[in-house]
Amino acid sequence: MTNTEMKHEAAAAEVEDQAELESAAQAAALEEDLAEDADHEEPGEAPQDFERMLAAAGAATAFKVPEGFRCGYVAVVGRPNVGKSTLINALVGEKVSITSKKPQTTRNRVLGVLTEEDAQYVFVDTPGFQTKVKSQLTRRMNRSVRSTLGEVDAIVLLIESGGWRPADLEVLNLIPKDASNVILVLSKTDLEKDRNALLPLMADSMRRFPFAAIVPVSAEKHRQLSDLLNEIKKLLPESIPYFDPELYTDRSPRFLAAETIREKAFRLLGDELPYGTAVTIDKWVETEENGKRSADIIATLIVDRESHKPIVIGEKGAKLREISRLARADIAEQLGCPVHLEVWVRVRRGWSDDVKALKTLGYD
């Protein structure tokens, strides 16, 4: 390539980069305007689905959409710790949301995207609806659940195959009685030895609510997931895909890395770890040398009290080192390159009940 050609190519790249920056700035400004409009909606007015319009505008144009293609948003709701994130991860085939046995592991609405030949499913992993713990954080999570129900094309309500619990009924009561787009999923059916035992539960469930379908599944064993997708597809409108078919989530690598660290802390410490824990990414540098890419990440694990800090650190730092080791392995797999990860612990008193702190930490 001649010097002149190289200069032309560099100039073209600069113009393209500038166009991308302007487009991103316009999208950001539009999102701010829409957010302000949403804040001024009259009480009781249904929220407009601005996110869907923005997502559709950015979907890949190279994807050849067949006739009759369907696409839509699917809310997966249920009580805390019922298995919503596990189900979405199994359906999408990628780790979209973190999982643990600790209730309320999911705190943000996370989108998981599955694109097939004739449909694109945009799953919304919502926090478990919480009635026991009252704080600004749980109020925000409950509000997220309520608002999601009015913005989606289909609702998947998850209960365990063992039967209805009072907390399940609280979630059911959030759904409009005349809704015709609700599918009931009976989860963890691999724990039931006699599948016929589910028949009375299914009959009882139809008496409680006019579900569009009832599907028993096992996310762990990947049983009847295709049946569930077929039922969901019936409820989705004909549409172009909202997202690039190559994407499996709307979340950034930084967000997924922070969630991975929080997951490892939950899993490693179990009941020892207090609920008031969050993670921030303080440094994120990706480099490439001799064609090999690597990432250097520094994160902070935030706890609510001074007494919580030694629990996370452990004797001679053993717990924190193990959290870092396990998280680093998963993040390296997500990024597809070696990762150097440092995790520090910091105390931020009362962050889960502090509105400003919640906004800073990304809990809008």
Side-chain angles (χ1 to χ4, degrees):
M1 181 182 294
T2 66
N3 289 336
T4 302
E5 289 173 330
M6 290 175 66
K7 288 179 180 180
H8 282 305
E9 186 176 39
E14 185 176 349
V15 170
E16 184 177 351
D17 290 344
Q18 183 63 31
E20 289 182 359
L21 288 172
E22 291 176 358
S23 177
Q26 290 170 356
L30 176 58
E31 285 183 341
E32 289 181 4
D33 292 343
L34 296 178
E36 289 180 5
D37 291 343
D39 288 340
H40 290 88
E41 287 177 350
E42 293 298 320
E45 183 180 349
Q48 299 183 50
D49 195 0
F50 298 122
E51 289 184 1
R52 176 179 305 196
M53 292 189 294
L54 290 170
T61 56
F63 181 67
K64 187 176 181 180
V65 182
E67 186 177 351
F69 190 88
R70 294 177 179 270
C71 179
Y73 283 75
V74 184
V76 180
V77 299
R79 61 175 172 80
N81 210 29
V82 75
K84 299 180 294 296
S85 297
T86 300
L87 176 62
I88 289 180
N89 289 344
L91 289 169
V92 174
E94 298 282 354
K95 189 164 186 178
V96 175
S97 294
I98 64 173
T99 60
S100 80
K101 293 182 179 180
K102 196 175 185 68
Q104 290 287 15
T105 301
T106 299
R107 292 177 180 167
N108 303 78
R109 287 197 302 183
V110 179
L111 300 187
V113 182
L114 171 65
T115 305
E116 296 187 330
E117 290 184 359
D118 56 352
Q120 184 178 82
Y121 308 82
V122 185
F123 295 103
V124 186
D125 188 3
T126 62
F129 192 76
Q130 177 66 265
T131 58
K132 294 181 180 179
V133 180
K134 294 297 182 183
S135 68
Q136 287 292 337
L137 178 60
T138 56
R139 290 188 186 99
R140 285 165 184 259
M141 291 191 292
N142 286 348
R143 187 173 64 207
S144 174
V145 177
R146 291 191 184 96
S147 64
T148 299
L149 294 177
E151 300 171 353
V152 296
D153 301 290
I155 299 171
V156 171
L157 173 60
L158 212 64
I159 69 170
E160 291 184 1
S161 58
W164 289 90
R165 298 185 185 182
D168 298 322
L169 295 174
E170 290 175 354
V171 180
L172 180 63
N173 289 334
L174 298 175
I175 302 173
K177 302 301 181 185
D178 58 348
S180 59
N181 63 339
V182 186
I183 296 172
L184 179 66
V185 168
L186 309 180
S187 69
K188 304 179 182 179
T189 56
D190 53 300
L191 302 179
E192 297 291 332
K193 295 181 179 179
D194 183 9
R195 297 296 297 277
N196 290 328
L198 298 175
L199 296 177
L201 174 59
M202 296 171 74
D204 174 55
S205 299
M206 289 304 297
R207 286 192 291 268
R208 294 177 185 273
F209 192 90
F211 293 105
I214 299 179
V215 186
V217 307
S218 169
E220 291 286 349
K221 303 293 185 181
H222 286 74
R223 292 176 184 166
Q224 292 189 253
L225 296 184
S226 59
D227 293 339
L228 175 57
L229 289 174
N230 286 335
E231 293 296 339
I232 294 173
K233 190 191 306 180
K234 297 175 185 177
L235 301 175
L236 303 184
E238 291 191 10
S239 169
I240 61 170
Y242 299 148
F243 293 91
D244 186 325
E246 297 299 319
L247 293 178
Y248 67 87
T249 182
D250 66 324
R251 291 295 185 169
S252 69
R254 292 174 70 106
F255 174 86
L256 296 176
E259 288 288 270
T260 298
I261 295 168
R262 192 163 63 89
E263 176 190 61
K264 301 313 176 188
F266 277 175
R267 289 193 170 192
L268 187 63
L269 298 171
D271 293 336
E272 293 181 81
L273 182 68
Y275 181 70
T277 306
V279 175
T280 61
I281 302 296
D282 307 314
K283 175 184 176 182
W284 184 289
V285 178
E286 294 187 39
T287 57
E288 187 168 341
E289 188 174 346
N290 298 325
K292 294 183 179 180
R293 190 166 60 94
S294 63
D296 186 14
I297 303 170
I298 297 178
T300 299
L301 207 158
I302 299 172
V303 294
D304 204 44
R305 301 176 186 175
E306 284 289 345
S307 59
H308 298 164
K309 191 173 180 179
I311 296 175
V312 176
I313 295 174
E315 187 176 354
K316 297 181 179 180
K319 293 280 190 181
L320 188 58
R321 281 197 302 273
E322 185 66 1
I323 291 170
S324 300
R325 185 186 69 81
L326 294 172
R328 181 173 58 250
D330 277 15
I331 296 170
E333 185 176 350
Q334 292 167 6
L335 297 179
C337 70
V339 169
H340 172 72
L341 173 66
E342 292 181 28
V343 181
W344 300 84
V345 182
R346 183 162 65 89
V347 178
R348 187 164 185 172
R349 297 178 183 277
W351 71 265
S352 64
D353 213 23
D354 184 327
V355 174
K356 289 184 178 179
L358 288 169
K359 287 185 177 180
T360 302
L361 294 170
Y363 298 110
D364 296 329

